[in-house]
Amino acid sequence: MKKLIIFALIPAFMLFFAVACSDEDPKAQGGYDNDNNAGDEDAADTGDEDAVADDSGNTGDTGTDTDTADTGNTGDTADTGDTADTGDTADTGDTADTGNTGFEKIGDFNLAFEGKINVDLSQYMQIKGGAGDVNFNYRGTPYTFGQLNVLIVQLFPLAILQQNNVAVMWLESAPGLGAETKKVFGYTFPSTIQPGSTTMEAAQAFAFFGDININLQGGQFDIKCVRAASYQGTLNMESYDGANAKFNSFGDLLDPAAAGSQLPYPVCTD
């Protein structure tokens, strides 16, 4: 039996989307030291003034010196209020703007599937394809991938159980029995999912559009690259028992380029 190569995109994308960057402004501490120094200088100046007032004669005992000292402290308070300038460290909050340069919406999708979940792809004549279509827009171009036969066997859309995930794949056109590259729309969700309606993010479901290297006789389905990907949408799992699934889903497609090296597969460049 030949080894099956399939995909596990969900954890990498969920991890990347959850990252938020923030840095502390090194100027904040510097500002704090400067204010302390300023406070010390103010304290020193006040002390000198008090000393002069004491030396000025007995008239200082009338309380005039005390008033002068108080106003000096008031001045210090006003100066320390200048530490509000260290509020400029809020500018570091602008790093959050880098998150806005992340994932750009480049399309959307709507799909439905019903069929068997295959566990062995080594014998293509024993593979059982499912029913359902996927309609999606990619950078302004509409696509529809539907049911496909290979010779006399209906194979696509094809659902596969791989470790802890179920992957459903639609191809642009029927492949031959040998090795070739096709465009693919894929949808994955955890094998432990329960029936019901929820968001794709909550269900840890994931949709993608890209290229696949496929060899039916070799039992190989190897994702070559991705063009669009998303966990943003709604999933309605109508029924699921581990061996069969019926569901529909719709959502957005995002540009995966922002993920960079976080992706387990490269971004398509053509």
Side-chain angles (χ1 to χ4, degrees):
M1 183 178 296
K2 298 184 178 180
K3 183 177 180 181
L4 166 66
I5 303 176
I6 199 63
F7 35 81
L9 287 171
I10 297 176
F13 271 85
M14 295 294 287
L15 176 61
F16 179 80
F17 291 160
V19 172
C21 300
S22 63
D23 295 318
E24 295 183 357
D25 192 339
K27 294 186 296 182
Q29 185 172 355
Y32 178 83
D33 290 340
N34 290 338
D35 288 337
N36 283 348
N37 291 338
D40 292 340
E41 292 174 359
D42 290 343
D45 292 340
T46 303
D48 292 338
E49 292 175 359
D50 291 343
V52 171
D54 289 341
D55 294 337
S56 63
N58 295 332
T59 58
D61 295 337
T62 61
T64 303
D65 293 340
T66 302
D67 293 339
T68 303
D70 291 341
T71 57
N73 291 336
T74 302
D76 291 342
T77 302
D79 290 339
T80 58
D82 292 341
T83 58
D85 292 340
T86 62
D88 292 341
T89 58
D91 293 340
T92 61
D94 292 341
T95 58
D97 293 341
T98 59
N100 295 332
T101 63
F103 289 87
E104 171 193 2
K105 179 180 175 180
I106 56 176
D108 52 51
F109 72 92
N110 191 320
L111 61 82
F113 173 83
E114 180 178 5
K116 175 184 176 181
I117 299 172
N118 296 270
V119 296
D120 183 5
L121 301 180
S122 62
Q123 298 295 326
Y124 77 92
M125 292 294 294
Q126 298 178 6
I127 297 174
K128 179 66 174 179
D133 300 333
V134 56
N135 297 283
F136 63 99
N137 291 289
Y138 171 70
R139 297 193 182 279
T141 302
Y143 294 87
T144 296
F145 292 176
Q147 297 177 208
L148 299 173
N149 294 336
V150 178
L151 299 178
I152 60 173
V153 181
Q154 197 265 311
L155 289 184
F156 294 93
L158 175 64
I160 305 168
L161 176 65
Q162 173 67 13
Q163 296 180 351
N164 298 321
N165 291 315
V166 174
V168 183
M169 296 181 294
W170 287 262
L171 297 187
E172 61 175 330
S173 59
L177 298 180
E180 56 184 301
T181 300
K182 291 284 186 181
K183 286 186 170 55
V184 60
F185 192 98
Y187 195 92
T188 69
F189 55 85
S191 60
T192 56
I193 197 168
Q194 298 296 315
S197 182
T198 184
T199 64
M200 289 175 60
E201 182 177 8
Q204 295 186 340
F206 183 75
F208 67 94
F209 170 56
D211 293 356
I212 184 172
N213 293 324
I214 184 171
N215 186 335
L216 285 180
Q217 288 185 321
Q220 294 183 344
F221 296 79
D222 184 16
I223 302 300
K224 178 182 179 182
C225 60
V226 293
R227 301 173 183 274
S230 180
Y231 73 111
Q232 296 183 354
T234 299
L235 168 62
N236 178 26
M237 185 64 65
E238 298 180 49
S239 63
Y240 176 78
D241 61 6
N244 297 275
K246 181 180 181 181
F247 68 93
N248 58 78
S249 181
F250 63 90
D252 295 334
L253 291 176
L254 309 177
D255 186 351
S261 61
Q262 301 291 336
L263 290 173
Y265 302 105
V267 176
C268 299
T269 57
D270 58 350

